[in-house]
């Protein structure tokens, strides 16, 4: 078996914000690795910290940051050590690009989309004519008619706007593309088309993705590995095949049971209760999922579980304390 090449390594990453009523621990001691040509899906309910994790990796930080520390290493280079200007010039868009949640609002309404997609290239010094030629090629690649380079964002459908955003993320041939709920505003057919496009690009260009989403069904097509976040922490990281057959963590089991199936008579489950507030979550001594967990034991409420490593999979839950294998 060939050894997988680590592209991105995240070590003890924290991103906490200060608001009037306290500190929001949006990303709270996160560790994971992402391999080259891998699609990692980050799953979780709204407010679990997944978008903050994407922003922390890209250093897109709001003004009210209280704590931002840990280690982010891309291809052996520690990116949190870099000063802002170097990071902007070397990493953001060039090595890590992002397809945002709502491409429509992220595109400039008064600029032609071709010029916007060309911008990362012209900023790097490429001649405008040559850059627009590259945009034409990229549009062809992602299924946008070439003459759309002269259109404005408001003239495009939701699916086409998302394709333009993907073209923009790909134009600099980055090492990693972060996709933040890239299909949430689209109809089901367009969602499937975009997922197929991402799959094709991954195969043809050796692309690596970190896909942030709450949509298990759509992301299952693309995922090589699934990471589940809860209350600012990673609670499970599993190979996709195992995860979709047999998730490990009680929260992951609930997430999977809440996905409608095409066939079968299983009743859909709802996850009772709400995710905890991230303000002062560090004061919770035990497992952060305990108030909603059907498997809760006495120790769950007094001591936070460690992360158990089972082969290629990790799970943060006391149920796996004495299990050598995941079954
Ligand atoms: Fe449930 Fe306990 Fe596992 Fe937390 S540690 S998920 S409360 S069984």
């Amino acid at each position: 078996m060939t050894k997988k090449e680590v592209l991105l390594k995240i070590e003890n990453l924290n991103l906490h914000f200060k608001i009037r009523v306290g500190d929001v621990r949006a990303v709270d001691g996160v560790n994971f690795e992402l391999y080259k040509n891998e699609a990692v899906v980050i799953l979780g309910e709204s407010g679990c910290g997944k978008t903050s994790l994407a922003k922390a990796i890209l250093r897109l930080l709001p003004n009210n940051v209280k704590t931002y520390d840990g280690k982010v290493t891309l291809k052996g280079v520690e990116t949190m050590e870099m000063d802002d200007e170097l990071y902007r010039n070397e990493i953001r868009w060039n090595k890590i690009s992002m397809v945002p949640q709502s491409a429509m609002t992220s595109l400039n309404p008064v600029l032609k989309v071709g010029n916007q997609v060309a911008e990362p290239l012209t900023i790097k010094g490429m001649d405008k004519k040559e850059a627009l030629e590259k945009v034409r090629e990229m549009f062809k690649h992602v299924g946008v008619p070439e003459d759309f380079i002269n259109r404005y964002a408001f003239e495009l459908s939701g699916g086409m706007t998302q394709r333009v955003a993907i073209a923009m993320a790909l134009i600099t041939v980055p090492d990693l593309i972060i996709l933040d709920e890239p299909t949430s505003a689209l109809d089901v057919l367009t969602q499937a088309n975009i997922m197929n496009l991402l799959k094709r690009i991954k195969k043809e260009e050796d692309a690596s993705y970190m896909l942030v989403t709450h949509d298990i069904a759509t992301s299952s097509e693309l995922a090589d590995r699934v990471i589940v976040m809860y209350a600012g922490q990673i609670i499970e990281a599993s190979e996709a095949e195992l995860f979709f057959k047999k998730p490990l963590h009680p929260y992951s089991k609930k997430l999977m049971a809440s996905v409608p199936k095409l066939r079968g008579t299983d009743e859909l489950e709802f996850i009772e209760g709400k995710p905890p507030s991230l303000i002062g979550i560090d004061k919770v001594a035990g497992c952060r999922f305990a108030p909603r967990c059907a498997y809760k034991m006495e120790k769950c409420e007094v001591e936070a579980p460690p992360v158990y490593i089972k082969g290629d999979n990790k799970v943060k839950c006391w149920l796996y304390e004495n299990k050598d294998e995941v079954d």
Side-chain angles (χ1 to χ4, degrees), residues 3 56 72 74 95 122 163 175 187 195 207 252 273 285 320:
K3 200 170 178 300
V72 175
L74 181 77
K95 300 234 161 62
T122 51
R163 282 172 191 261
D175 294 314
D187 61 80
M195 282 298 150
S252 313
Y320 295 87

Side-chain angles (χ1 to χ4, degrees), residues 5 7 34-39 141 170 173-177 198-209:
E5 185 186 332
L7 178 67
L34 190 152
Y35 302 107
K36 190 164 166 35
N37 195 218
E38 187 183 38
H141 190 43
L170 284 170
V173 198
D175 294 314
L176 172 66
I177 302 165
L198 292 170
K199 246 166 109 173
R200 176 166 63 79
I201 290 167
K202 179 172 178 279
K203 197 165 159 207
E204 289 175 2
E205 308 208 357
D206 237 12
S208 311
Y209 300 133

Side-chain angles (χ1 to χ4, degrees), residues 66 300 316:
K66 164 89 187 297
C300 300
K316 186 174 169 58

Side-chain angles (χ1 to χ4, degrees), residues 249-250 287 289-290 293 295-297 300 305 317-319:
H249 196 279
C287 169
F289 186 60
C293 182
Y295 302 84
K296 180 173 64 181
M297 301 168 281
C300 300
C317 172
W318 284 119
L319 291 176

Side-chain angles (χ1 to χ4, degrees), residues 90-321:
E90 299 279 321
I91 306 293
R92 197 181 300 143
W93 289 112
N94 290 322
K95 300 234 161 62
I96 308 179
S97 64
M98 186 171 189
V99 178
Q101 216 168 90
S102 170
M104 189 62 91
T105 50
S106 68
L107 289 174
N108 187 330
V110 296
L111 281 181
K112 289 177 179 169
V113 292
N115 289 343
Q116 291 187 66
V117 178
E119 200 176 290
L121 300 177
T122 51
I123 285 175
K124 280 170 83 181
M126 190 183 280
D127 169 70
K128 186 159 178 200
K129 208 167 149 218
E130 197 186 334
L132 284 174
E133 206 40 56
K134 289 239 175 279
V135 174
R136 267 195 198 92
E137 280 168 30
M138 185 54 76
F139 272 13
K140 220 155 115 191
H141 190 43
V142 300
V144 176
E146 283 176 57
D147 59 335
F148 276 33
I149 62 166
N150 291 318
R151 294 204 180 183
Y152 294 92
F154 69 86
E155 297 178 292
L156 308 183
S157 67
M160 275 300 157
T161 311
Q162 212 59 9
R163 282 172 191 261
V164 167
I166 291 168
M168 202 154 152
L170 284 170
I171 197 87
T172 52
V173 198
D175 294 314
L176 172 66
I177 302 165
I178 297 179
L179 302 121
D180 185 9
E181 304 275 10
T183 58
S184 61
L186 306 174
D187 61 80
V188 178
L189 191 62
T190 314
Q191 281 181 355
N193 285 338
I194 296 287
M195 282 298 150
N196 284 336
L197 168 67
L198 292 170
K199 246 166 109 173
R200 176 166 63 79
I201 290 167
K202 179 172 178 279
K203 197 165 159 207
E204 289 175 2
E205 308 208 357
D206 237 12
S208 311
Y209 300 133
M210 177 176 139
L211 169 62
V212 170
T213 186
H214 65 276
D215 185 345
I216 301 176
T218 313
S219 61
S220 64
E221 279 293 300
L222 187 66
D224 295 312
R225 201 148 47 96
V226 177
I227 288 179
V228 182
M229 282 191 79
Y230 190 78
Q233 298 181 327
I234 290 176
I235 50 139
E236 176 168 350
S238 287
E239 295 294 318
E241 215 184 319
L242 172 84
F243 183 86
F244 292 117
K245 258 195 239 143
K246 215 168 182 186
L248 305 174
H249 196 279
Y251 174 64
S252 313
K253 290 180 201 288
K254 282 278 186 192
L255 277 181
M256 284 303 290
S258 67
V259 181
K261 302 196 178 48
L262 212 51
R263 294 190 184 82
T265 51
D266 293 353
E267 293 241 342
L268 279 191
E269 284 188 30
F270 294 93
I271 311 177
E272 281 172 27
K274 286 192 302 190
S277 162
L278 298 176
I279 300 166
I281 188 80
D282 53 314
K283 307 284 181 308
V284 174
C287 169
R288 295 180 181 185
F289 186 60
R292 304 169 82 188
C293 182
Y295 302 84
K296 180 173 64 181
M297 301 168 281
E298 219 170 277
K299 71 171 1 166
C300 300
E301 300 209 89
V302 285
E303 198 180 336
V307 174
Y308 294 104
I309 299 173
K310 307 285 170 186
D312 284 335
N313 310 303
K314 295 176 186 170
V315 59
K316 186 174 169 58
C317 172
W318 284 119
L319 291 176
Y320 295 87
E321 188 178 11

Side-chain angles (χ1 to χ4, degrees), residues 26-41:
V27 178
D28 206 16
V30 161
N31 296 285
F32 72 94
E33 289 177 347
L34 190 152
Y35 302 107
K36 190 164 166 35
N37 195 218
E38 187 183 38
V40 168
V41 169

